[in-house]
C-alpha cells in the first residue's frame, strides 16, 4: 500500500507501534516512557488508531501502564504481561550535554512473544508499523518483530533511537533494510555512516547514500534547534528552519513527538514540506512541558485545529 494514496474520507488508519515500554526514573520523579508508548499516545490524540505491541511486568509499573492506556483510550490487545520479569526501567540523569540514559537489561520488553505479536498484527490490519532498535537487543523480541513485519501488509517506519551500549551494525543494517522510512538525528546519521562504512562528505550526501543503499522511500533527519530535513528517492531535499524555542522545560520525548507527526503526515498524504514544519512545531511545543507526553489532551487542540484534523475526522 502506498501511504500517500489514503485520503481524509477514509476511516482513521491504524499504526502498530512495536517495542519497549518502561519507566523513566528521574532524580525527582518517575514517568512512563519508551518511544513506542510515547508515539502511541500522540497518535491517539491526533486521530490515528495506535496498537502498542509490548510486554510489561506483573508489577506496579505494569499496572500503571495499563491504567494510563485506559485513560487515553489506547487499544490494550498488544500488551503482554510477563509474570517474572519487571516492567522496563531507565535511570535518567541530566548532564551538561543533555540527558544520560542508563537502560537496565533483562526487562519484560526484551521477551515479547512472537506468536502473540504476529496475531495482534494480523488482527489490527495496520497501514504502518513503527519500530526502533532498542527492543531488538534480545533474540526473543527480535524474532517477534520479524514475525510481526512478515505477517502484515504495511509500510515500516524506523525510528533508530540509538542507545548505548545496545547498538550493533547487524541490527541497524537489518532495520534499515526492512524500513520504508527512516528517521534519525544528525548525530545518529553520522554514526550510522561510520557503523556501516558508508561514504558521504556532508550529512545530505550521507543520507543520499543511506537512502539508495537500503532503497528507502524517505530519510528524515532532525537537527535540534536548527530544524529538520528530508530526502526522497528523486533526490529532492525538503527543509524546515528551526524557530526560536520557547523556554525549554524538558527535551525528553521531543523526537518521539516529531516521529508521530511525520507518520501522521505520511498517512494523511501531506506534502513533506508541511509535514516537516508541523512535526518541528509539535516537537518544540513538547520541549515547553514536563515529560514526553502531555497530561491533558488540551495540548493537542490547537494542532488538531490548525491541521484540520477534526474536519477530517468529521468526514471519515
Amino acid at each position: 500500500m502506498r501511504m500517500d494514496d489514503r485520503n481524509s474520507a477514509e476511516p482513521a488508519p491504524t499504526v502498530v507501534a512495536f517495542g519497549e515500554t518502561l519507566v523513566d526514573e528521574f532524580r525527582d520523579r518517575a514517568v512512563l516512557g519508551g518511544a513506542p508508548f510515547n508515539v502511541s499516545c500522540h497518535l491517539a490524540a491526533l486521530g490515528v488508531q495506535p496498537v502498542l505491541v509490548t510486554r510489561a511486568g506483573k508489577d506496579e509499573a505494569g499496572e500503571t501502564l495499563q491504567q494510563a492506556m485506559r485513560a487515553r483510550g489506547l487499544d490494550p490487545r498488544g500488551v503482554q504481561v510477563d509474570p517474572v520479569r519487571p516492567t522496563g526501567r531507565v535511570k535518567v540523569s541530566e548532564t551538561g550535554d543533555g540527558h544520560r540514559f542508563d537502560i537496565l537489561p533483562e526487562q519484560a520488553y526484551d521477551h515479547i512473544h512472537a506468536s502473540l505479536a504476529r496475531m495482534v498484527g494480523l488482527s489490527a490490519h495496520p497501514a504502518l508499523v513503527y519500530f526502533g532498535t532498542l527492543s531488538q537487543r534480545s533474540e526473543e523480541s527480535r524474532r517477534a518483530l520479524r514475525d510481526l513485519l512478515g505477517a502484515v501488509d504495511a509500510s515500516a517506519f524506523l525510528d533508530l533511537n540509538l542507545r548505548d551500549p545496545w547498538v550493533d551494525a547487524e541490527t541497524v543494517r537489518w532495520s534499515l533494510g526492512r524500513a520504508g522510512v527512516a528517521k534519525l538525528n544528525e548525530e545518529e546519521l553520522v554514526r550510522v555512516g561510520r557503523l556501516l562504512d558508508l561514504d558521504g562528505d556532508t550529512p545530505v550526501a550521507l543520507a543520499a547514500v543511506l537512502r539508495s543503499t537500503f532503497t528507502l522511500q524517505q530519510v528524515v533527519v532532525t537537527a535540534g534547534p536548527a530544524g529538520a530535513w528530508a530526502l526522497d528517492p528523486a533526490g529532492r531535499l525538503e527543509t524546515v528552519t528551526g524557530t526560536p524555542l520557547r523556554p525549554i522545560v524538558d527535551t525528553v520525548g521531543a523526537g518521539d513527538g516529531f516521529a508521530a507527526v511525520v507518520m501522521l503526515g505520511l498517512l494523511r498524504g501531506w506534502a513533506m514540506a508541511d509535514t516537516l514544519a508541523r512535526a518541528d512545531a509539535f516537537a518544540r511545543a513538547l520541549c515547553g512541558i514536563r515529560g514526553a507526553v502531555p497530561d491533558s489532551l488540551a495540548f493537542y487542540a490547537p494542532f488538531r485545529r490548525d491541521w484540520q484534523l477534526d474536519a477530517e475526522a468529521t468526514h471519515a
Side-chain angles (χ1 to χ4, degrees):
M1 175 197 308
R2 282 174 41 122
M3 289 179 290
D4 55 4
D5 285 342
R6 304 187 65 88
N7 60 61
S8 60
E10 295 178 331
T14 298
V15 172
V16 166
F18 176 95
E20 66 275 10
T21 47
L22 41 82
V23 176
D24 287 325
E25 297 180 345
F26 294 84
R27 176 179 53 81
D28 57 346
R29 68 194 191 282
V31 296
L32 285 173
F37 172 77
N38 297 339
V39 164
S40 294
C41 290
H42 295 316
L43 288 175
L46 294 171
V48 177
Q49 297 177 353
V51 178
L52 177 62
V53 174
T54 189
R55 193 172 180 91
K58 193 174 182 180
D59 51 24
E60 183 178 353
E63 179 56 33
T64 299
L65 170 66
Q66 298 277 4
Q67 292 174 356
M69 291 183 65
R70 287 193 292 269
R72 292 178 176 273
L74 296 180
D75 191 324
R77 70 181 122 161
V79 180
Q80 304 172 15
V81 177
D82 193 309
V84 177
R85 302 172 188 90
T87 301
R89 291 169 53 216
V90 175
K91 295 181 179 179
V92 185
S93 56
E94 297 184 14
T95 69
D97 298 324
H99 292 88
R100 179 180 178 274
F101 301 91
D102 182 11
I103 304 171
L104 303 184
E106 270 300 298
Q107 307 291 280
Y109 67 79
D110 291 311
H111 299 274
I112 299 173
H113 194 280
S115 295
L116 296 177
R118 182 177 182 275
M119 285 190 294
V120 170
L122 288 171
S123 68
H125 303 290
L128 194 61
V129 175
Y130 169 93
F131 72 101
T133 55
L134 177 58
S135 61
Q136 298 184 64
R137 66 182 183 172
S138 70
E139 176 58 35
E140 194 168 356
S141 289
R142 277 199 303 271
R143 183 168 62 251
L145 175 61
R146 283 154 176 72
D147 283 6
L148 169 63
L149 289 172
V152 300
D153 180 19
S155 295
F157 186 103
L158 169 64
D159 191 356
L160 278 162
N161 275 334
L162 300 179
R163 295 287 184 260
D164 288 321
W166 318 106
V167 178
D168 68 90
E170 181 181 354
T171 297
V172 171
R173 184 177 290 108
W174 182 89
S175 298
L176 288 164
R178 191 58 183 80
V181 177
K183 174 254 174 187
L184 63 172
N185 61 43
E186 286 191 336
E187 291 182 0
E188 289 172 330
L189 176 61
V190 172
R191 185 172 183 185
V192 167
R194 292 172 180 165
L195 194 65
L196 303 184
D197 196 25
L198 302 176
D199 293 326
D201 296 334
T202 66
V204 173
L206 184 54
V209 173
L210 186 71
R211 195 220 59 76
S212 62
T213 300
F214 295 98
T215 322
L216 295 162
Q217 299 170 24
Q218 295 275 356
V219 177
V220 181
V221 181
T222 58
W229 50 276
L231 196 65
D232 71 8
R236 289 186 293 263
L237 178 66
E238 294 285 357
T239 65
V240 57
T241 302
T243 55
L245 283 171
R246 65 182 68 184
I248 297 176
V249 175
D250 190 346
T251 61
V252 171
D256 302 334
F258 186 97
V261 177
V262 171
M263 284 190 286
L264 179 65
L266 293 169
L267 293 165
R268 296 298 187 188
W270 294 346
M272 182 52 69
D274 292 335
T275 297
L276 289 176
R278 293 168 179 179
D280 185 73
F282 185 76
R284 289 170 188 276
L286 286 173
C287 291
I289 66 170
R290 177 64 68 92
V293 176
D295 292 331
S296 171
L297 292 178
F299 177 91
Y300 299 92
F303 298 104
R304 293 186 62 103
R305 182 189 64 244
D306 292 347
W307 303 342
Q308 300 185 325
L309 296 180
D310 293 315
E312 290 183 4
T314 300
H315 293 90

